[in-house]
Amino acid sequence: MTNKNNNKKTFCSFLYSNYLTRVLSYINMQIQKNVSLKPYNTFGVDVSCNQLICVDREDEIPYLFQEKVFDTRFFILGGGSNVLFTQNYDGNIVHMRTKGIDIVKETENEVFIKVAAGELWDDFVDFCIRHAYYGIENLIGIPSLVGSSPVQNIGAYGVELKDVMHSVEGIYVGNNKPFVLNNADCEFAYRSSVFKKALKNKCLVTQVLFRLSKIKQFTLTYKALRDELPYDDADLNLQKVAQAVLKVRNSKLPDVRKIGSAGSFFKNPVIPKSRFVTLIDKYPSLIHFDTDNGEVKLAAGQLVEIAGWKGKRLNDAGVYPLQALVIVNYGNAGGKELLDLSMEIQKDVFERFEIQLEPEVNIMF
Ligand code: EPU
């Protein structure tokens, strides 16, 4: 009898402590009202939002549903490195800050690493370089969070996220149900995925599972990167490749801690071959790459440069002098000013080439 009572007591105190932990985690969860988003977007645009909700632990997520955070206008913000706020955001901003890098499986040749959505992308790259896991060294220096990396299918110097991602875990915000999507389910394409299409604004990514190599191998197809590595392949290592990537990046892209930007503002346009044939006649120096499906990809930066915009500045909004694809905020440019500049560029490029540049950056109205 006493034993039974004790068991009952233990069970009740277990329930109570569980309940208490949940209540306390709700209390701990950071919710700020009418807060500036300036520190949360790499353009450094000073706009506010109604509520900023920072999620530090996955067990805080139920609270988002309890508080009906997703029932009004909301936006899930990652590193803020691919977004342009054009005005105050009339809604809830959810910002993941969950941490964790865990090796979940290892074979002789491969390692599977599960990473929490709120980890800084570069911290994960650093982890892989230190542990000699190959595959994401070319993606060093990208100012993203791990959770946003599959949304955008981040890419640089011949590597894209889709080459190293196994699966994504998260919660459907519409019904609070968990999901796991494999690489193929994510419909990855150039700077795109299912999360920007059918599942746009429908998923909260919580974890990303990566599949990396333990065997030494590098992707050195990008010429400027290869030129920075004048070694025999046997002398290459992850540190040398990562340093070379950073050197190439820094020679073209601004450091977002010093100059506001969101990397490439536009996508590189893809046009039909027939259209390209007439264009190259008029502009023989056009940089171009054949795509797998017989179309031609052009370098948007070159089009913007030919249109005369490289290095131009209108008040604090400008075009980066070293890479015409990058729009920068030299200080206090507002989102609307940056947007107006991008539209001027689009207009000029269209008038000259009849090509409509598509923003890569997520523009928020
Ligand atoms: N170019 C010019 N003028 C310019 C800029 C570029 O002529 O002002 C020429 C370059 O000389 C080069 C070509 O255009 O021959 C391509 O330029 P670059 O190699 O700098 O790459 P990109 O196509 O402009 C893309 C990604 C970058 C990524 C680099 C390297 C897109 C939209 N951007 O830029 O990603 O770092 O390749 O792989 O695909 C980002 O997504 O935010 C980003 C920075």
Side-chain angles (χ1 to χ4, degrees):
M1 190 68 180
T2 329
N3 228 346
K4 225 176 175 183
N5 270 344
N6 275 348
N7 283 347
K8 214 169 165 185
K9 256 191 188 164
T10 320
F11 182 62
C12 285
S13 62
F14 166 75
L15 282 183
Y16 182 68
S17 69
N18 216 0
Y19 167 78
L20 209 62
T21 314
R22 286 185 73 165
V23 169
L24 286 176
S25 72
Y26 294 170
I27 293 168
N28 275 340
M29 188 150 134
Q30 210 191 84
I31 301 179
Q32 296 163 273
K33 295 200 189 285
N34 281 325
V35 62
S36 169
L37 293 174
K38 191 168 177 172
Y40 295 92
N41 71 98
T42 58
F43 257 127
V45 168
D46 196 5
V47 289
S48 65
C49 64
N50 296 359
Q51 286 201 116
L52 172 68
I53 302 145
C54 295
V55 180
D56 289 298
R57 298 206 325 252
E58 271 193 41
D59 64 5
E60 294 171 349
I61 292 174
Y63 178 73
L64 300 174
F65 291 92
Q66 189 187 304
E67 286 298 298
K68 303 192 185 316
V69 163
F70 301 116
D71 291 6
T72 49
R73 193 173 179 225
F74 72 91
F75 179 63
I76 298 166
L77 181 68
S81 58
N82 202 48
V83 62
L84 175 61
F85 289 103
T86 57
Q87 56 182 324
N88 290 338
Y89 185 77
D90 185 16
N92 295 323
I93 299 275
V94 176
H95 179 53
M96 294 296 279
R97 296 198 302 206
T98 50
K99 299 282 182 232
I101 301 180
D102 298 301
I103 295 171
V104 292
K105 186 176 145 188
E106 212 169 338
T107 66
E108 203 183 323
N109 301 334
E110 285 185 323
V111 61
F112 292 75
I113 312 174
K114 204 180 238 197
V115 189
E119 283 284 355
L120 281 178
W121 174 260
D122 244 9
D123 285 351
F124 175 47
V125 176
D126 183 55
F127 173 90
C128 293
I129 291 172
R130 279 188 286 114
H131 289 83
Y133 300 141
Y134 297 79
I136 57 170
E137 57 284 354
N138 290 20
L139 303 181
I140 193 170
I142 296 180
S144 176
L145 290 190
V146 167
S148 349
S149 62
V151 178
Q152 176 69 0
N153 184 22
I154 58 171
Y157 312 110
V159 174
E160 285 185 322
L161 184 99
K162 71 169 172 53
D163 305 325
V164 289
M165 198 207 79
H166 177 275
S167 51
V168 189
E169 280 178 32
I171 313 268
Y172 288 118
V173 297
N175 59 11
N176 192 2
K177 294 263 186 300
F179 68 80
V180 180
L181 293 181
N182 290 325
N183 188 305
D185 305 328
C186 291
E187 297 170 20
F188 285 126
Y190 167 57
R191 292 297 188 279
S192 179
S193 73
V194 73
F195 302 109
K196 286 178 99 175
K197 295 187 167 165
L199 292 181
K200 187 171 177 173
N201 260 357
K202 292 191 165 69
C203 301
L204 179 68
V205 171
T206 53
Q207 301 273 345
V208 184
L209 181 60
F210 294 87
R211 177 183 191 162
L212 298 175
S213 173
K214 288 164 73 177
I215 310 288
K216 182 169 154 178
Q217 54 185 50
F218 298 106
T219 302
L220 300 174
T221 44
Y222 189 89
K223 186 170 177 308
L225 179 57
R226 181 79 253 194
D227 291 349
E228 282 299 326
L229 295 162
Y231 310 103
D232 287 339
D233 282 2
D235 293 331
L236 283 176
N237 62 30
L238 277 168
Q239 283 75 10
K240 283 180 184 164
V241 173
Q243 280 312 313
V245 170
L246 285 177
K247 196 161 174 209
V248 175
R249 265 193 92 80
N250 295 339
S251 71
K252 295 184 179 190
L253 299 171
D255 179 344
V256 292
R257 289 165 301 184
K258 295 181 185 143
I259 303 178
S261 96
S264 303
F265 196 91
F266 301 106
K267 287 187 190 176
N268 286 325
V270 177
I271 59 171
K273 191 116 197 175
S274 55
R275 173 91 192 78
F276 172 71
V277 173
T278 37
L279 209 57
I280 195 81
D281 229 22
K282 198 164 168 199
Y283 299 97
S285 66
L286 279 191
I287 295 152
H288 56 279
F289 309 91
D290 289 332
T291 67
D292 293 343
N293 55 359
E295 295 182 301
V296 181
K297 192 188 244 188
L298 301 178
Q302 188 192 28
L303 303 183
V304 177
E305 181 174 346
I306 296 173
W309 280 97
K310 194 170 187 170
K312 272 203 180 167
R313 182 171 172 169
L314 305 173
N315 299 317
D316 270 355
V319 177
Y320 196 54
L322 304 175
Q323 223 304 3
L325 199 46
V326 178
I327 290 182
V328 288
N329 179 1
Y330 283 110
N332 294 313
K336 177 74 172 46
E337 248 177 297
L338 294 160
L339 176 68
D340 287 348
L341 172 64
S342 78
M343 286 163 67
E344 284 292 311
I345 295 171
Q346 273 175 315
K347 188 169 137 275
D348 278 2
V349 167
F350 187 78
E351 273 170 13
R352 191 178 278 264
F353 302 103
E354 279 183 54
I355 289 173
Q356 187 63 43
L357 289 182
E358 192 192 325
E360 195 217 328
V361 167
N362 192 358
I363 299 171
M364 305 292 292
F365 294 98

